[in-house]
Each structure stands twice: as structure tokens, then as C-alpha cells.
Amino acid sequence: MDLRPLWLTTIFVLPYSLAQADTVLFTDDMGRQVAVQQPVERAVIFNRYGVEFARALGAMDRVVGVDQSTYRDPPYWPELNPDMIVGAGQAAPNYEAIVSARPDIVILPRNGAWEEAIAQLEPFGIPVMVITAWDATKHVQNVSLMGELFDAPERAQELNDFYTGYLALLEERLNGVEPVSIYIEETRPLVTVTPGSGWHDMALQGGAHNVFGGIDIAAEPASRGNVNAYTIDPEELVSRSPEVIFRLVPGSYQAIPADTYAQAWAELSARDEIRATPAWQSENTHLVNYYLAGGASKITGALQIAKWAHPDLFADIDPEDAMRIWIEEFQGLPYESGMTYTGEFQP
């Protein structure tokens, strides 16, 4: 009995053969060696960060498929259209749509369904590479790899120079400086991040100590979530006494409306556990556009954390200057300011 998915036995696709093209072996995020046709002319990419890298490298004309989670912000992706959606997200690829797109490669992050994708796409000769573009610690490696895949090494070097320049600035100024404790709240109340999350690494780069950085997610009940969304109790936050609070607000590269910020601030400031922290009492609690926090492997978020955690050391640095370069020069879009918000602190 043929146990393969019905679409696998019914869809008609012209044979794909790496043997018919020039191929190169690349090592992916999981240490796998993957043979890929060179240069890549047709790519399916899951996760917004990977698609951003492709655009920064000037390769958007070769992206033939993305996930719905990426496409949910159409103004940010004028190059894409709904027909290019090949799955709900990195955990739910639509393999029939992927095969129909005839890609030379499928790229997934390590927290996506890459193992399943390998098994499903191998019969069609479609290689799957794991490239975790959201990983703040692997920016240079990931950009260089994608630069090779898309035959854009010079552009990849420009992007890496931009990133490493700011990273070097952070490392130089923070050398020997005591980290400041920070609480990073995801877009939902009492949901934070732990080691293994790119947001956690962003805090470290910005000279901060994640107050939930001692959590070993593997030892925690599954009900508490994962490294990017770990649920806490209000008492846990109060007991850890963060000196900075960095609350993410859903948003895109476009400015978040002032009334949206104001409403989010009103909700945040009404919470007793927030008001009981040193961060609130010292007026070092802030709202941040989710997009600024994640810009260019989160280097813009790290700069913003450094600015708030160590204001004297970074008085001359405006994180939005870096954000403007990322948006205008590497994403090819007009920049809109107003990426952060700090409201009034009522006693």
C-alpha cells in the first residue's frame, strides 16, 4: 500500500535533478551538507527574517514562495503576492504548493518543520537548508551563506559590515561594564524570553542581563511555553526586580499610530507587577515596535537596549539611525520614525 500523502501521488511535476545542473555543497545550520544548484534562481523561504536577508542581498526576484506569516504585512512586501504563499508558517508548509513553485531550494529556520520538509521534498529532488536568520549570534554566518547561494557576495559583505560595525561599537563601549537587569516582554502580558531565543541574545549584546536568563526551558513544564514565549507569574517578575522593561508592541516598519501606543501604555501602566519594579520607579520602562527590536538580526534592538540600560555610554547613539539604514538601504523602503514610546509615569 502506498502510504505517501495523496498530493504526492497525484501532482504532476517535471523531474528535478541536481545532476543536470552545477551544484555546490553547503553546510547548513544543523551541520548538514546540502547540494544546491548554483546560483539559486528559484527559492522558497519560510520566516520573515530569511526573506529580509534575500531582499537585502538584491535577490527578491528569485523568491518564488513564502509563508503566510511573512506575507501578513503586504505593505512591507510589495514584491510578493498571495499566489506565492506556500504554507501558513514555518511549522506548517504546504508541500503541494512548494513543489508547484519548482524551487531550487527551500530554506527553513531550525525551529521550523525542516525535518518533515526534507522527507516530503526528497522525492522531488528539492533540497532543504536550515538557515536560522532570526539568530542574532549567527548573522555573519547566515548572511555570508545566503550571499553564496544567491551569488551576491559583495552585497552580503556590505550587510555584514553594517552589522559588525554596530556590534563592535557595543562590545567596545560595554567592555568591563556591569550588565543592567532587563525584563523583555513579548507582545502578550507576562510572556517573556529565555536562553535559546534571539531576543535573549539581543539583551546580552545590549549590555543587559535577562532576569529570566537562568531558565532552562528543557526542565520546565511544556505548559509554560518555549524559549521565545515563556509564561511567568506576576510574583516572579516582581521578585527579579528588573531595572529596565522592554515591552514589544505588534508593528511593522511603518510607524505605530500614537493612539495604539497610548492604549498599550495605559494597559502596561495599570499592572501592579510592572509598577512594583525598579524599572517603573526609575522611569526606565518602554514600549518598542516589534520591528525595530528585530531589525538586521536584532542589532537595532540591541542598540536600543544599550541606550536605555547605559544612557551615559550611548548618549551620542540614536538606534533609529541604524534602523533607517536597514530600511532604506537594505530593504528599499521609505523610513518612518517613531519606533519607541515612553509614556507618563504615574505614582
Side-chain angles (χ1 to χ4, degrees):
M1 179 182 294
D2 191 345
L3 298 179
R4 294 176 298 175
L6 180 61
W7 70 264
L8 192 62
T9 62
T10 58
I11 189 171
F12 176 77
V13 182
L14 291 175
Y16 178 103
S17 174
L18 287 172
Q20 297 174 0
D22 293 332
T23 63
V24 176
L25 282 177
F26 294 95
T27 301
D28 76 358
D29 210 313
M30 306 308 297
R32 300 166 51 248
Q33 284 200 316
V34 184
V36 182
Q37 176 183 337
Q38 283 291 284
V40 169
E41 298 294 344
R42 300 179 65 82
V44 164
I45 305 178
F46 286 84
N47 190 280
R48 186 197 90 192
Y49 297 103
V51 184
E52 285 179 337
F53 281 175
R55 181 158 63 182
L57 296 174
M60 277 301 285
D61 60 332
R62 285 178 270 177
V63 175
V64 297
V66 300
D67 55 290
Q68 176 66 53
S69 182
T70 294
Y71 184 71
R72 65 185 174 187
D73 186 12
Y76 186 52
W77 301 110
E79 309 92 339
L80 304 180
N81 63 70
D83 294 336
M84 298 170 69
I85 296 173
V86 292
Q90 64 194 38
N94 179 330
Y95 296 106
E96 182 175 1
I98 292 173
V99 173
S100 295
R102 298 179 293 107
D104 300 321
I105 189 172
V106 172
I107 296 174
L108 283 151
R110 64 173 177 264
N111 60 333
W114 60 272
E115 292 174 297
E116 176 187 276
I118 291 170
Q120 293 281 2
L121 297 174
E122 186 176 18
F124 298 94
I126 299 174
V128 175
M129 285 197 73
V130 181
I131 301 176
T132 309
W134 55 255
D135 190 335
T137 67
K138 293 187 175 182
H139 175 98
V140 173
Q141 172 185 324
N142 289 332
V143 169
S144 297
L145 175 55
M146 290 186 69
E148 293 182 60
L149 288 171
F150 291 107
D151 193 25
E154 294 181 0
R155 186 61 171 171
Q157 188 60 54
E158 291 176 15
L159 178 51
N160 278 339
D161 289 345
F162 165 74
Y163 176 84
T164 58
Y166 278 115
L167 186 61
L169 181 147
L170 287 166
E171 291 175 345
E172 178 184 359
R173 296 193 184 185
L174 293 169
N175 184 34
V177 176
E178 187 71 22
V180 170
S181 62
I182 190 171
Y183 168 60
I184 298 175
E185 187 163 87
E186 208 250 14
T187 56
R188 294 166 290 170
L190 298 174
V191 177
T192 189
V193 301
T194 70
S197 166
W199 304 114
H200 171 84
D201 294 326
M202 174 188 70
L204 300 182
Q205 290 178 341
H209 163 68
N210 178 6
V211 293
F212 288 93
I215 299 294
D216 178 4
I217 199 70
E220 294 292 314
S223 60
R224 298 202 72 170
N226 55 53
V227 296
N228 295 304
Y230 179 77
T231 302
I232 63 171
D233 295 323
E235 296 78 13
E236 292 180 285
L237 174 57
V238 175
S239 68
R240 283 167 168 76
S241 301
E243 299 165 88
V244 180
I245 290 178
F246 186 96
R247 169 73 193 273
L248 296 170
V249 177
S252 72
Y253 85 101
Q254 295 173 311
I256 294 176
D259 58 348
T260 300
Y261 267 139
Q263 180 179 351
W265 183 262
E267 293 170 353
L268 184 71
S269 61
R271 290 164 51 189
D272 291 341
E273 72 274 11
I274 296 293
R275 298 168 70 88
T277 64
W280 180 266
Q281 293 156 11
S282 64
E283 300 188 358
N284 210 348
T285 296
H286 312 274
L287 300 177
V288 185
N289 185 327
Y290 193 99
Y291 188 80
L292 177 137
S297 295
K298 302 178 177 61
I299 196 66
T300 49
L303 287 167
Q304 188 61 75
I305 286 174
K307 179 84 172 180
W308 288 329
H310 307 280
D312 293 340
L313 294 178
F314 293 89
D316 62 326
I317 298 299
D318 183 354
E320 290 210 20
D321 288 341
M323 199 64 190
R324 182 176 293 104
I325 294 172
W326 170 245
I327 291 291
E328 294 181 348
E329 297 188 16
F330 290 104
Q331 296 304 308
L333 295 167
Y335 180 71
E336 295 186 22
S337 61
M339 287 282 175
T340 66
Y341 182 91
T342 302
E344 295 185 2
F345 291 86
Q346 300 295 333

